[in-house]
Amino acid sequence: MKLKKLAALGLAGAMVLSTAACGGGDSGSSDGDSGSSGGSGGGELSVSIWDTNQEPGINEILADFTEETGIKTKLTVVKWDEYWTMLEAGAQGGSLPDVFWMHSNESERYMSNDMLLDLTDKIAESDLIDPANYPEDVWGLYTHEDKYYAVPKDVDTIALWYNKTMFDEAELEYPTADWTWDDMFEAAKKLTKDDGSQYGLAIRNDNNQAGYYNMIHDNGGAIISEDKTKSEWDSPETIEAMEQLEEFIKAGVMPSIETMSENGEDVLFQSGKVAMVPQGSWMVAAYRDNEYTAENCDVVELPKSAATGRRSSVYNGLGWAASANGENTENAWKLIEYLGSEKAQQKQAELGVTMSAYEGTSDAWAKSADFNLQAYLNMMDDMVIRPYSKSTVTWENEDNEILKDVYTGDKSMADACKEMAEQMNEKLAEE
Amino acid sequence: MANSGKPAKTGREKSEFLWGWLFILPTVIGLVILNIIPIFQTIYQSFFKTGDFGKGNIFVGFENYSKVFGDSEVWQSLINTLKYAVVEVPFSIAIALVLAVLLNRKMRGRSVYRTIIFLPMVAAPAAVAMVWRWLFNSDFGLINNVFHLNVKWISDPKIAVYAVAVIGIWSILGYNMVLFLSGLQEIPGDYYEAASIDGATGIKSFFHITIPLLSPTIFFVLVTRVIGALQVFDLMYMVMDKSNPALDKTQSLVYLFYKYAFINKNMGYGATIVVLLLIITMIVTVFQMIGQKKWVFYN
């Protein structure tokens, strides 16, 4: 009898657990889900990143760290969209991972709300980290009121990927560093086949950093004013550059927005449907490990503007940050210090994970794959930091929504630019 | 026990009372903590302009509500959600009912069929969505390639929401069917015998015996499925990319809530959207409760 009662209790308990699993679907409340982000105990450091392409390399570096210090780590990879949801819930519920990636889109919010561990004093005392060894702009992304909140992990620039086989087939010269955006357009026309089996180019509506932002800066335009209070979408230079993109769309040298949205530019490029695609240096590992791209494709500097002669690259850098309220902040700092050290940064470059932020490590990265990676390094000669403000995500997503209508042909680019400026100004005013 | 009037409890009654409550206690606690309290928190939150990470909320009264009522995106999402529900609910119930009746007979391989039809229920929704995303892909997808079509199933604004509803129907069929099967087994076989002696055909007895006697189960499935369909999120989220041009005409209210609350970090506005959904769900359910008197027969 007793046993039966116990069993029934156990069953009831199990039911509660299953309710827990399905419940909370429509609760817009603050129940920070500790299960997914896992504030770790037992001295093991939880580390969170969003890029699966970088996972093997980062794991290797973390293993080195464990060997050196005896501190164990556990790496979790969560896709970009869910990553920020997880981090948000973790921040609110007090269960952030011990160490994690920070991005310029979000850093301001986290820093100004004291979610990140203040690293200023630790960096000042450290023998391994000297701010002079990393690009100043990247520090700028993770500095709030003169305090450092993250150590730069990497820098990234943009370059143009092309499919050599398709160029050979169309009997065209490979792209060179002297190309203008117009040259690219001309080649794209010739590389596009009428039956839709092959397109010259792919720049999706949300490919801002690797795509049209570069065209805008080349043309002397901008996205956001220097003091981050006003949108520059409606400036004549910006509109002019975007109208060139509109030309690409109208000429049909790109797959339809439907196709690009269902498959993604990288997938289309990797499956030989698209001849050219501008991509960030963070994609190199993926293209190196893909048999088709490794064999058929290469990379070259971005084209420049015919009007101004400028060739710029939007760039950005991730940072390693730690939770302000973590239980293992001492160890978390040790890990960040290690990850930012010359040794780990050198290894990150050698493994081809990404370009490292530490100065003088780029040569090792250029040798990490059998492509013309020097192109990415050359793009560093003229760099513009990725436009950001406190609410970057909000206005950027809205921009992407509005641009969809240009891709489908329902709106002219000039109108879209004005609309984007309007909504962005509204959001900037609210910051 | 003879002297009634006073609720003097016997030892047995007391113990039953105690154990009864003890048994439902875990569920009750779960419901209160995971559902009831969050509902009130959500309503509370909908009156605030929420600050970052839940700090620095500013009370704004009904401002969020007046914005929601003037937001065409919200109304479009409501229409999308209703379109989805209007397709998913009737089809998933009708098909599941027919399948349940067919699989309630004695036949070879009955349990195999039942298992196969129930399988989608067991598969993770994310996996289901990934497979369908591939089936529906307009360039490389199986459906378009096998039938030599060029239909943009999930990126044409006119049909995308229905394509998503098809996935919804497919994945819920098994669950509905199992509920109907259990309902069918409650119906005594004598009725069918009597009917066939009187000369009723299979179709006739389906409409005049099966459906009326199964109506409590049908009603239960209908109510829960309508609520489920109004809350659809995972299918849209998994199948539709953010750059999809059909997203506007496909996103459900819960998807919009997710967008505002978790991507744009505007919890207050997100909360207002779900409160709107809650009210709509309640209204629909109340009408169903009233309507049931006309067609549901309890023995």
Side-chain angles (χ1 to χ4, degrees), chain A residues 264-289:
Chain A
E265 298 147 302
D266 51 339
V267 175
L268 290 170
F269 186 68
Q270 283 170 339
S271 47
K273 268 222 146 194
V274 164
M276 288 182 287
V277 59
Q279 293 268 272
S281 50
W282 60 87
M283 289 304 293
V284 170
Y287 290 161
R288 178 193 63 195
D289 298 338

Side-chain angles (χ1 to χ4, degrees), chain A residues 16 28 82 88 92 262-263 404, chain B residues 26 45 54 137-138 155 237 244:
Chain A
V16 171
E82 284 105 63
E88 174 91 9
Q92 215 161 28
E262 284 180 40
N263 302 297
K404 271 186 209 170
Chain B
Q45 229 171 14
N137 190 304
S138 52
S155 49
Y237 178 71
N244 194 318

Side-chain angles (χ1 to χ4, degrees), chain A residues 129-141:
Chain A
I129 310 249
D130 175 3
N133 289 327
Y134 310 82
E136 209 185 320
D137 273 336
V138 179
W139 282 111
L141 301 175

Side-chain angles (χ1 to χ4, degrees), chain A residues 5 16 20 27-29 81-82 85 88 91-92 106 109-110 113 204-205 258-259 261-263 397 404, chain B residues 19 26-27 34 38 41-42 45 52-55 137-139 152 155 237 241-244 258 263 265:
Chain A
K5 281 177 182 168
V16 171
S27 65
S29 73
D81 283 331
E82 284 105 63
T85 312
E88 174 91 9
Q92 215 161 28
E106 299 267 2
R109 286 178 63 245
Y110 281 83
N113 286 293
R204 203 162 82 167
N205 67 316
E258 287 90 357
T259 300
S261 124
E262 284 180 40
N263 302 297
N397 283 342
K404 271 186 209 170
Chain B
W19 279 106
T27 317
L34 296 163
Q41 277 180 339
T42 307
Q45 229 171 14
D52 295 333
F53 308 108
K55 292 190 288 190
N137 190 304
S138 52
D139 298 280
K152 307 224 178 275
S155 49
Y237 178 71
D241 191 274
K242 256 197 299 198
S243 65
N244 194 318
Y258 170 81
I263 298 178
K265 315 278 162 36

Side-chain angles (χ1 to χ4, degrees), chain A residues 349-362:
Chain A
E350 274 167 20
L351 289 172
V353 180
T354 46
M355 277 197 256
S356 284
Y358 203 94
E359 247 160 56
T361 54
S362 44

Side-chain angles (χ1 to χ4, degrees), chain A residues 313-325:
Chain A
S313 166
V314 173
Y315 89 116
N316 197 12
L318 308 183
W320 284 105
S323 163
N325 314 313

Side-chain angles (χ1 to χ4, degrees), chain A residues 170-210:
Chain A
E171 291 174 0
L172 287 171
E173 299 275 317
Y174 293 159
T176 67
D178 298 322
W179 263 25
T180 63
W181 291 104
D182 302 315
D183 293 329
M184 181 182 83
F185 184 33
E186 288 309 314
K189 280 187 208 160
K190 286 175 195 141
L191 288 159
T192 304
K193 289 184 181 163
D194 293 335
D195 60 356
S197 63
Q198 180 182 317
Y199 290 91
L201 181 68
I203 300 175
R204 203 162 82 167
N205 67 316
D206 58 352
N207 188 357
N208 42 28
Q209 182 183 356

